[in-house]
Amino acid sequence: MPDYGKLLRLGTEVGRWLMLSGAEIYRIEESVHRLLNAYGTYPEVFALPNCLIVCVTTEEGESMTRMVRVSAKGTDIELLERTNDLCRRLCREPAPLDEALALVDGLGDHEPHNPPWLVLVGYILTTAFFAFFFEGDVWDAIAAGLCGLAAGIAQLYGKKLMGSNLFFRTALCSVLICGLSLFLCRLGLGHSEDAVTIGGLMVLVPGMSLTNAMREIMAGDIFSGLHRFAEVILVATAIALGSVLAMILGRVV
Amino acid sequence: MELLLSCLPPALWGFLSCAGFSLMYNIHGSGVLVASTGAAISSFFYFLIVDAYGSEVGAAFLAAIVVGVYSEIMARVRRCPTTGYLQVALLPLVPGAGLYHAMRYAVDGFYQTFLNSLVHTIGIALALSVGAMLSSSLFRALLPRLPRLPRR
């Protein structure tokens, strides 16, 4: 008879890693379900964007439940690929439970991260070339790249200063980007204020989350889809409010 | 021909900006190249169809189908989930700017324009997700009939 406590822990930990990496709900539910199936149980799995509940019934007919709450959000494709890989491997040839648990617990430790400077380069590249998308010229791209750099530094190092609330953090970053783009355009570096501002804001704007929300709804996870949709609207409102604040500051100063 | 050439610069911008995004999303090595090539393909097809046909929602839908096929193939070749490539590859089309404009109209009090652009934005997001899902389910249906790739 398997150790159901450990089995549940295995399932929920795999789910937790998948959630932290920004996987879709159906992928989380399916992965945990298949994994526990491979170990000979028939679980019920329910996932929301910030919560995962797994329930199994033991051979004596008792049911056991374990729930994890996940608050961090973000996209980490490397972690997603590693977790998915491990999950498939365990489904193909289930390792002894303790070994499998050690493997799952070690997922986050050995994960390579891009160094901060490379992430900042990412911010600059993204904002600079999105400025071209919105019909900016080379100078606009440079200005947008500077805004992106500022936003990247704020996101990477300013978490303590800005607090953990998503709404306020986004609004503050938006004030920073819009204020900086106004300033740079007044200095004469950028020519099209619109291109610089939107190019810079592309790192904040939740366009991807909106598409993901629609995908969840289409896949039948309507609750999760609505959850994400509400979050998207909140974040977009925060960005708009931040940009208005920056405008007002620009008029006053 | 002229139409095709006019879509090349957006493809290049898409490629470079999404290389930046893949660095932010912790993609490594050749994965960056694969994901940003997807972004180049998506923006190329999007602008091509917008120029040729005029409908942004339709263009987003068709471009999402093309990118969906591309990322399913890449996921089979590299043996990893499609999500990563698909997310980055769709980024140039994703209606971030539309969402921002919509909320700006709301904050500034232009409610009619706000509703217009919000509905348009949701339409594009829906088209993208339906397009991507369509090609991935087609792929899954066809998969048992396709030759299997050797395990690495």
Side-chain angles (χ1 to χ4, degrees):
Chain A
M1 194 178 96
D3 183 338
Y4 285 101
K6 278 184 184 164
L7 252 183
L8 271 177
R9 207 167 89 73
L10 181 68
T12 47
E13 287 308 310
V14 166
R16 187 205 296 274
W17 287 122
L18 282 174
M19 282 181 141
L20 282 175
S21 66
E24 312 95 311
I25 296 297
Y26 79 85
R27 184 185 297 281
I28 298 170
E29 286 182 351
E30 206 179 286
S31 300
V32 176
H33 202 274
R34 280 200 184 164
L35 180 62
L36 293 188
N37 256 343
Y39 279 90
T41 52
Y42 297 93
E44 294 291 335
V45 186
F46 176 67
L48 285 173
N50 57 3
C51 167
L52 170 71
I53 302 171
V54 183
C55 181
V56 292
T57 308
T58 63
E59 276 164 20
E60 289 88 44
E62 267 180 80
S63 45
M64 288 171 75
T65 305
R66 193 180 159 96
M67 184 180 98
V68 285
R69 297 268 302 175
V70 179
S71 62
K73 290 265 164 52
T75 308
D76 187 338
I77 304 293
E78 177 73 19
L79 184 62
L80 174 66
E81 288 184 359
R82 279 171 175 253
T83 316
N84 198 60
D85 220 39
L86 178 64
C87 187
R88 282 189 179 194
R89 215 165 64 219
L90 288 177
C91 284
R92 255 198 325 267
E93 40 209 55
L97 262 180
D98 289 310
E99 216 175 284
L101 266 174
L103 280 174
V104 171
D105 286 336
L107 268 175
D109 301 339
H110 309 298
E111 193 207 350
H113 278 285
N114 281 333
W117 66 267
L118 201 58
V119 177
L120 287 180
V121 169
Y123 272 95
I124 297 174
L125 271 179
T126 306
T127 46
F129 287 103
F130 264 113
F132 281 122
F133 250 109
F134 301 108
E135 286 155 12
D137 55 17
V138 179
W139 295 107
D140 293 334
I142 294 172
L146 286 176
C147 294
L149 180 64
I153 291 173
Q155 297 259 23
L156 281 186
Y157 301 108
K159 281 221 166 95
K160 274 210 181 108
L161 211 66
M162 295 192 291
S164 61
N165 187 304
L166 184 69
F167 189 85
F168 287 112
R169 216 169 54 213
T170 314
L172 282 177
C173 277
S174 166
V175 173
L176 182 69
I177 292 176
C178 296
L180 193 61
S181 79
L182 257 175
F183 179 68
L184 289 174
C185 286
R186 281 207 190 162
L187 274 187
L189 181 60
H191 299 133
S192 156
E193 207 181 292
D194 224 32
V196 179
T197 312
I198 301 178
L201 284 177
M202 277 315 278
V203 289
L204 289 186
V205 146
M208 200 63 240
S209 318
L210 179 63
T211 310
N212 284 343
M214 292 299 160
R215 205 136 60 109
E216 305 277 22
I217 291 176
M218 287 289 142
D221 296 310
I222 295 183
F223 253 154
S224 305
L226 291 178
H227 180 135
R228 290 194 204 268
F229 186 70
E231 209 175 71
V232 165
I233 294 292
L234 263 181
V235 170
T237 315
I239 295 172
L241 285 175
S243 72
V244 168
L245 190 62
M247 281 276 179
I248 294 171
L249 277 176
R251 294 256 164 89
V252 174
V253 179
Chain B
M1 194 60 208
E2 221 169 274
L3 193 62
L4 287 178
L5 282 181
S6 74
C7 297
L8 284 180
L12 182 64
W13 311 145
F15 182 87
L16 289 167
S17 56
C18 290
F21 260 117
S22 39
L23 293 177
M24 282 153 62
Y25 287 169
N26 203 19
I27 299 180
H28 296 266
S30 57
V32 176
L33 208 64
V34 174
S36 347
T37 307
I41 294 174
S42 75
S43 30
F44 179 80
F45 275 94
Y46 177 78
F47 283 97
L48 186 68
I49 298 163
V50 165
D51 282 347
Y53 181 64
S55 155
E56 286 182 19
V57 176
F61 180 63
L62 288 175
I65 292 180
V66 174
V67 161
V69 170
Y70 168 80
S71 48
E72 289 285 336
I73 292 172
M74 279 301 154
R76 294 293 180 294
V77 172
R78 300 192 73 229
R79 298 212 152 264
C80 43
T82 47
T83 325
Y85 305 124
L86 201 60
Q87 287 215 351
V88 176
L90 285 180
L91 269 168
L93 313 188
V94 140
L99 201 57
Y100 163 72
H101 281 305
M103 289 335 277
R104 258 315 281 279
Y105 292 134
V107 171
D108 291 339
F110 303 118
Y111 296 112
Q112 210 58 49
T113 345
F114 156 66
L115 279 180
N116 266 342
S117 60
L118 187 68
V119 169
H120 183 70
T121 305
I122 291 178
I124 290 185
L126 259 177
L128 286 179
S129 52
V130 172
M133 282 182 85
L134 188 70
S135 50
S136 83
S137 28
L138 264 179
F139 230 85
R140 272 187 206 178
L142 289 175
L143 190 64
R145 290 154 219 255
L146 295 179
R148 282 197 73 83
L149 292 165
R151 231 172 250 299
R152 272 193 301 169

